[in-house]
């Protein structure tokens, strides 16, 4: 079964760091982009960026560049997004997704989501 | 950046009715337009890719159309399980962008 499994919910304080993960299985991990999307409470979907595991080619949304770091370890088929200093406004659900050229880079497989709560 | 404008932002419809949602792009994106369904507390699910191609496993009552800047998602006969929020998304160029969403509610 093709799937992306994300790490669990996190509760952090402002200023703390965080790294959440997304593990792919059931397919050739290196050959599909992995993207990340933020969904703030009650709001829509915002693309943060995507990485291509085969060569770590990166694309960031200007809204998120410099705010987060996306990375990948293809040896363990896992992608990550990390924050060095969280803010209350980072409170949101974060999804990872797979996309490939066979369907014009639509996001065909989604992780279950990781809820991040940042509160003092 | 390519802006996607969905309309309406919400609608009420009865089971069995036909529903159409539109998505307009701020510039031509050819057919690089995808549609997703999201139910409360769940991850989005791909319905349509490349404007009109039905994703595997998605019921045939869902269809997509359009090219260039104007696109539609149609549900031919609304079912109880279709009440959800629908998003369009362009994969023509980065930054990838989503429409604001259309919430489909029971009338």
């Amino acid at each position: 079964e093709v799937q992306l499994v994300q790490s669990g919910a996190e509760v952090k304080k402002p200023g703390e760091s965080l790294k959440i993960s997304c593990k792919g299985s059931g397919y050739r991990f290196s050959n599909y982009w992995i993207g990340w999307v933020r969904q703030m409470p009650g709001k829509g979907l915002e693309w943060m960026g995507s990485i291509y595991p085969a060569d770590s080619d990166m694309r960031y949304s200007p809204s998120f560049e410099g705010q987060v770091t996306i990375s990948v370890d293809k040896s363990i088929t896992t992608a990550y997004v990390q924050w060095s200093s969280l803010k209350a406004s980072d409170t949101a659900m974060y999804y990872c997704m797979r996309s490939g050229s066979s369907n014009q880079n639509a996001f065909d497989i989604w992780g279950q989501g990781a809820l991040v709560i940042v509160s003092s | 950046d390519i802006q996607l404008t969905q309309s309406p932002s919400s609608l009420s419809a009865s089971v069995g009715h036909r529903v159409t949602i539109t998505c307009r792009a701020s510039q031509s994106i050819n057919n690089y337009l995808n549609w997703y369904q999201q139910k409360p507390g769940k991850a989005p699910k791909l319905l349509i890719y490349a404007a009109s191609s039905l994703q595997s496993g998605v019921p045939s009552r869902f269809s997509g159309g359009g090219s260039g800047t104007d696109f539609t998602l149609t549900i031919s006969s609304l079912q109880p399980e279709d009440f959800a929020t629908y998003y369009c998304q362009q994969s023509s160029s980065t930054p990838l962008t989503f429409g604001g969403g259309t919430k489909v509610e029971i009338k």
Side-chain angles (χ1 to χ4, degrees), chain A residues 4-5 16 21 23 27 29 33 39 54 57-59 68 71 80 87 94-96 102 104-105 107-109:
Chain A
L4 296 173
V5 178
E16 291 186 333
S21 67
K23 182 171 176 62
Y27 72 99
F29 183 77
W33 288 83
Q39 188 167 40
D57 189 13
M58 274 297 315
R59 302 282 188 272
V68 298
S71 60
Y80 306 91
K87 302 184 280 288
Y94 293 88
Y95 294 102
C96 65
S102 63
Q104 288 196 342
N105 292 316
F107 299 125
D108 64 343
I109 302 294

Side-chain angles (χ1 to χ4, degrees), chain A residues 3 14 25 33 37 43 45 49 73 75 79 82 84 88 98 102 111:
Chain A
Q3 58 180 352
S25 62
W33 288 83
V37 151
K43 302 299 184 182
L45 304 169
D73 184 342
S75 70
Q82 65 183 81
S84 59
R98 180 188 89 159
S102 63

Side-chain angles (χ1 to χ4, degrees), chain B residues 7-67:
Chain B
S7 60
S9 56
S10 65
L11 65 90
S12 295
S14 301
V15 171
H17 282 211
R18 182 183 183 90
V19 166
T20 298
I21 299 167
T22 65
C23 180
R24 175 163 287 175
S26 59
Q27 65 189 73
S28 176
I29 55 173
N30 295 308
N31 69 336
Y32 284 82
L33 194 283
N34 312 305
W35 290 97
Y36 302 87
Q37 175 194 66
Q38 186 178 31
K39 296 181 179 179
K42 299 293 187 183
K45 171 188 171 183
L46 178 64
L47 299 176
I48 301 284
Y49 64 92
S52 59
S53 295
L54 193 67
Q55 176 68 359
S56 176
V58 173
S60 59
R61 63 180 179 274
F62 291 93
S63 63
S67 66

Side-chain angles (χ1 to χ4, degrees), chain B residues 80-101:
Chain B
E81 60 268 30
D82 301 336
F83 293 96
T85 300
Y86 294 83
Y87 294 94
C88 58
Q89 177 248 333
Q90 65 83 16
S91 51
S92 173
S93 62
T94 57
L96 307 178
T97 47
F98 289 86

